[in-house]
Amino acid sequence: MAERILAGTHFLNGDEACAEGAVAAGCELFAGYPITPQSEIAERIARRLPQVGGVFIQMEDEISSMAATLGGAWGGRKAMTATSGPGFSLMMENLGLGMMTETPCVVVNIQRGGPSTGLPTLVAQGDMMQARWGSHGDYGVVALVPSSPQEAFELTVRAFNLAETLRMPILVMADEVVGHMFERVVIDPEAIEIVERKAPNKPPGEFLLYEPGEDLVPQGMPALGDGYKVHVTGLTHDERGYPVLNAETQEKLVPRLRNKITHHIDQIVDYEETDLDDAEVIIVTYGISARSSLGALRLAREKGLKVGMLRLKTVWPFPGDVLKGLADRVGGFVVPELNLGQIVLEVERAVCGNAIVQHVPHAGGAIHDPETILSAIEEVFALAH
Amino acid sequence: MLTKTKPAPEGEVLENVSHPMDRFLRTDRLPHIWCSGCGLGTVLSCFTYALDELGLTESDVGIVSGIGCTGRAAGYLNLDSYHTTHGRAIAFATGLAVAKPDKKVVVISGDGDLFAIGGNHFIHAARRNVNMTVLCVNNFNYGMTGGQFGPTTPIGSRGTTAPYGNYESPFNLPYLAASSGAVYVARWTSLHARRLKEAMIEALTIPGFTFVEAVCPCPTNYGRRNKIGEGLDELKYYSDRSVIKHGADPAEGDLLPGNDVVIGRFVHRERPTFLQAYEQQIIDKQHFVKPQGMGKGPHRMSGATSTDRRESS
Ligand SMILES: Cc1ncc(C[n+]2csc(CCOP(=O)(O)OP(=O)(O)O)c2C)c(N)n1
Ligand code: SF4
Ligand SMILES: [Mg+2]
């Protein structure tokens, strides 16, 4: 039997590292449909899952991929699907079912240029708001964003863990460049923590499928055939899981789907700070854009400009409080992202006019040139002084 | 002639009496939402009798439904039950069945759910021969949304979106199921309750993708609109036109105006299920590990994972 955790130092691209992260975290079912630039995840995991007792299913589309992932989770497995823009759009329907039925699983989007078929082989970060709001109705999301193959591995493990802790689908919003670039990936089994699915807190008969604990998360999840006779529905339901179609039940259920995330926000939010101590202008960025931004930061520091960087590893829930705190002590923020203005809107909302917010848009197809980001930094310095 | 479904006479309503199959029902969810005269109650009852005869319990079976009047069946069965999205029951069930190979996964859904929005999932699950039983309640229309025509509506029938009569050719469901690869295909009407139950028993027993079509009255949205009448009239209408032909060519199963309604067992054949094929192709050759619940054989170990090492330095 091959190792679940492929200990050692490897040379992997982000997609492969993501697949290894999934296997390491205990993924036993992958349902997906081929799409560039995601296919290397499916290819890797199709090879790996049979080695560790898991099953790979190539579905007929991304609608069924998402649905089968949820089915796999209710069958007691850790399950994942992965796609890119067009497939992500098709997954929205059953992503909503996963949110409503509080089904732990992982959904990976290796973002490429859109809209529509867009740029199949080229990078973008244009699905960040779709990740937040893409399925109909109100719900909360957790989206992790890796900047390197190493992080693609680590954040995929983390996504599986958060899926169990929060009992919901967790998104990994990578991008084509992170997915396709090869780098060193160090896998240290000692450093990997794995959260297992919580068993029901009560025996059948007493157990309520959707009775939240103090942390607002349902208390354990039985698998098919465990004797709990669960009823799982996408309709608005009470704590037994039974459909109850009225405003009162809606009010009890739907705000909790968001509040359970807020309740765990300190446990979820993760970011990396670079040179923030003396910074007068801060680059706020994520994913591959953080790599260009780091180049810009170095160029700016060479010029004597006090620039720092806040790299978001979790974009949703958005760490508004962190931005709010920083806004009081810096002149401005520069927000490079490979879209025409998505996460910058959240930055503006958090900063609330207390500092300059300069977006560095890019329609996708390539990554930012550090010089472009540097010019934006210089503009903010000019405006702030 | 139209007969009205009569309300139960006062005083004849039995209080505090349980149905022999109550243990399979979530009695705390009754009364159900289905109309009087609807065929859904009969299908559900046949299903519970089938479970009973097979001695299956909540540890053995899971129900997956899509959306529609039929889709509500999952919510009334006292088993692990999953009421998913419109058309996606089979896709969800595919994940569930593969995750729990030792359980019986049953999809109960409507003709619109399974063959319009969910048609692609149906043919692919049949092609893969995923181990599941699909029970389709064919009432020739989208019942829940108010009687629009759908993929099984006969030519000429009226629906709320076919005010002048339907002009699209309907699917012949047994033919579609058979040509997609189902290993068991049967059609009965809800009047043939015993035969329908027996077909369910066969479908539940045979490994692989098994399919039972239950032709059912929907007096509210189909029977009345098409001047067939109430539930009983519609039942009689189908049964009068039914011809039992076991082993019939599924191509004869077209429900065209003027045709007989061919009912019976169309297909019963064997071929490896999705997981059996998976095991033969991958596990046996590579000596990899069987997924949990897939047979009792010991986990086979292997020293060689050369295919993987190639990619990892
Ligand atoms: C994506 C989506 N589209 C449309 C609907 C609305 N809808 C609910 S039930 C239904 C039709 C159900 O018809 P069928 O499967 O034949 O079931 P029946 O009610 O006849 O038993 C439709 C179109 C929906 N719920 N979801
Ligand atoms: S609308 Fe038709 S299918 Fe739905 S419950 Fe009423 S009779 Fe049955
Ligand atoms: Mg119908």
Side-chain angles (χ1 to χ4, degrees):
Chain A
M1 181 176 168
E3 300 293 328
R4 233 177 215 297
I5 302 181
L6 216 62
T9 302
H10 311 274
F11 189 57
L12 300 177
N13 69 23
D15 282 358
E16 294 166 344
C18 170
E20 284 305 329
V23 176
C27 177
E28 289 182 319
L29 190 141
F30 180 96
Y33 187 81
I35 188 168
T36 306
Q38 166 279 155
S39 295
E40 292 87 336
I41 299 180
E43 289 162 8
R44 178 87 175 193
I45 213 157
R47 197 178 280 283
R48 286 286 276 136
L49 282 180
Q51 301 174 346
V52 297
V55 184
F56 167 86
I57 322 174
Q58 184 163 299
M59 296 300 292
E60 53 274 16
D61 56 30
E62 291 85 350
I63 298 174
S64 52
S65 299
M66 186 70 240
T69 301
L70 301 178
W74 284 100
R77 307 296 186 110
K78 289 190 176 180
M80 174 167 108
T81 185
T83 187
S84 186
F88 198 53
S89 291
L90 288 186
M91 285 182 183
M92 287 301 135
E93 174 193 49
N94 291 298
L95 181 66
L97 179 65
M99 295 296 176
M100 190 62 151
T101 54
E102 302 185 69
T103 306
C105 62
V106 174
V107 180
V108 179
N109 179 356
I110 309 294
Q111 295 172 84
R112 66 189 222 185
S116 190
T117 313
L119 299 169
T121 61
L122 300 174
V123 70
Q125 295 174 315
D127 311 343
M128 299 307 296
M129 278 295 175
Q130 184 185 22
R132 175 64 193 86
W133 301 107
S135 198
H136 55 282
D138 277 311
Y139 57 95
V141 301
V142 176
L144 314 183
V145 187
S147 280
S148 63
Q150 178 72 39
E151 252 181 24
F153 176 85
E154 289 167 8
L155 294 189
T156 304
V157 174
R158 183 154 198 254
F160 274 93
N161 290 344
L162 286 170
E164 300 303 334
T165 307
L166 299 166
R167 269 286 299 278
M168 61 185 288
I170 303 291
L171 308 178
V172 177
M173 296 294 292
D175 56 69
E176 183 274 331
V177 175
V178 168
H180 279 165
M181 74 181 173
F182 281 84
E183 280 187 340
R184 193 165 71 141
V185 175
V186 181
I187 300 177
D188 172 11
E190 300 292 310
I192 298 172
E193 196 196 318
I194 288 167
V195 178
E196 294 303 344
R197 188 155 304 168
K198 229 163 117 186
N201 65 336
K202 290 178 188 156
E206 289 168 46
F207 176 70
L208 290 172
L209 186 58
Y210 290 105
E211 182 186 21
E214 275 173 21
D215 65 351
L216 307 180
V217 177
Q219 305 176 76
M221 177 167 159
L224 168 63
D226 284 354
Y228 284 81
K229 299 190 265 194
V230 298
H231 185 59
V232 177
T233 177
L235 288 168
T236 294
H237 45 269
D238 63 15
E239 291 184 351
R240 294 172 300 177
Y242 287 6
V244 181
L245 309 183
N246 60 33
E248 197 189 328
T249 314
Q250 177 83 350
E251 180 60 31
K252 227 174 143 187
L253 171 63
V254 178
R256 184 175 62 72
L257 300 180
R258 291 174 81 151
N259 294 341
K260 69 177 177 184
I261 297 171
T262 322
H263 186 90
H264 290 88
I265 195 150
D266 294 337
Q267 210 178 312
I268 300 167
V269 165
D270 190 15
Y271 49 82
E272 182 190 70
E273 302 177 352
T274 307
D275 296 345
L276 282 197
D277 291 346
D278 63 345
E280 291 167 12
V281 169
I282 295 176
I283 310 169
V284 181
T285 187
Y286 55 90
I288 193 60
S289 299
R291 308 280 290 250
S292 318
S293 298
L294 191 62
L297 182 149
R298 288 189 186 131
L299 294 173
R301 285 276 169 180
E302 275 166 25
K303 290 189 161 191
L305 297 172
K306 289 183 175 159
V307 175
M309 182 166 91
L310 185 72
R311 177 168 74 83
L312 307 179
K313 295 202 223 173
T314 51
V315 165
W316 303 116
F318 188 75
D321 287 348
V322 177
L323 267 293
K324 204 179 281 173
L326 291 169
D328 293 339
R329 64 175 181 86
V330 299
F333 297 91
V334 173
V335 188
E337 48 181 346
L338 297 176
N339 57 52
L340 301 182
Q342 297 195 12
I343 297 308
V344 67
L345 301 172
E346 291 299 311
V347 177
E348 282 168 355
R349 226 145 63 99
V351 166
C352 208
N354 291 327
I356 297 162
V357 176
Q358 178 72 47
H359 190 231
V360 193
H362 191 308
I367 60 172
H368 285 94
D369 191 341
E371 270 78 24
T372 315
I373 302 171
L374 179 65
S375 311
I377 293 168
E378 287 172 331
E379 262 175 61
V380 174
F381 269 102
L383 288 167
H385 287 109
Chain B
M1 198 193 74
L2 304 187
T3 49
K4 289 276 169 247
T5 308
K6 294 192 199 94
E10 295 256 339
E12 284 185 30
V13 175
L14 303 174
E15 301 280 351
N16 300 322
V17 174
S18 62
H19 185 273
M21 293 299 115
D22 264 3
R23 68 179 195 285
F24 288 119
L25 298 176
R26 295 185 194 268
T27 49
D28 52 348
R29 291 213 60 218
L30 299 176
H32 57 66
I33 61 161
W34 296 323
C35 309
S36 116
C38 177
L40 278 162
T42 309
V43 173
L44 197 69
S45 137
C46 289
F47 182 66
T48 58
Y49 279 104
L51 293 179
D52 183 57
E53 282 191 31
L54 288 170
L56 294 172
T57 71
E58 70 267 14
S59 313
D60 309 311
V61 190
I63 306 296
V64 186
S65 278
I67 302 292
C69 295
T70 314
R72 291 301 185 96
Y76 298 127
L77 284 163
N78 198 17
L79 299 164
D80 284 322
S81 51
Y82 308 89
H83 180 229
T84 64
T85 41
H86 192 29
R88 315 305 172 205
I90 289 178
F92 183 100
T94 297
L96 193 63
V98 166
K100 280 280 181 199
D102 51 347
K103 307 292 171 198
K104 191 79 221 181
V105 173
V106 182
V107 171
I108 306 182
S109 229
D111 48 282
D113 185 88
L114 292 168
F115 294 100
I117 190 164
N120 202 32
H121 311 311
F122 181 91
I123 61 174
H124 285 281
R127 174 180 65 79
R128 293 183 188 107
N129 202 20
V130 180
N131 190 26
M132 67 170 80
T133 294
V134 176
L135 303 180
C136 173
V137 172
N138 185 3
N139 54 20
F140 306 106
N141 81 108
Y142 293 117
M144 178 155 270
T145 41
Q148 296 81 13
F149 75 96
T152 59
T153 309
I155 287 185
S157 285
R158 280 170 207 273
T160 49
T161 49
Y164 307 111
N166 174 40
Y167 41 83
E168 291 187 11
S169 291
F171 272 138
N172 166 351
L173 299 183
Y175 193 30
L176 180 65
S179 36
S180 304
V183 292
Y184 177 87
V185 179
R187 173 196 276 156
W188 294 98
T189 81
S190 61
L191 191 78
H192 300 84
R194 188 177 53 79
R195 312 267 203 163
L196 180 58
K197 178 203 69 186
E198 274 156 15
M200 290 177 184
I201 289 174
E202 290 180 332
L204 287 166
T205 318
I206 295 165
F209 189 92
T210 57
F211 176 67
V212 178
E213 174 186 359
V215 169
C216 270
C218 167
T220 306
N221 278 315
Y222 187 76
R224 286 186 206 141
R225 183 163 292 118
N226 285 288
K227 307 273 186 289
I228 298 170
E230 293 303 316
L232 280 176
D233 306 306
E234 205 179 333
L235 270 181
K236 190 165 180 316
Y237 178 89
Y238 298 135
S239 76
D240 285 351
R241 286 160 181 75
S242 297
V243 180
I244 300 177
K245 274 195 205 169
H246 288 302
D249 179 352
E252 290 177 39
D254 265 322
L255 296 172
L256 294 175
N259 272 23
D260 290 340
V261 178
V262 179
I263 55 175
R265 186 199 313 111
F266 290 86
V267 174
H268 179 190
R269 60 187 166 199
E270 268 181 46
R271 65 192 187 93
T273 66
F274 173 82
L275 282 178
Q276 283 166 350
Y278 183 91
E279 185 174 1
Q280 280 160 18
Q281 182 67 27
I282 299 177
I283 313 280
D284 283 357
K285 283 192 192 138
Q286 308 291 328
H287 309 293
F288 290 152
V289 182
K290 273 192 184 189
Q292 341 158 357
M294 241 181 87
K296 297 276 181 285
H299 283 185
R300 280 159 289 184
M301 307 290 279
S302 158
T305 56
S306 53
T307 44
D308 194 66
R309 298 250 161 85
R310 181 172 56 79
E311 286 160 291
S312 48
S313 56

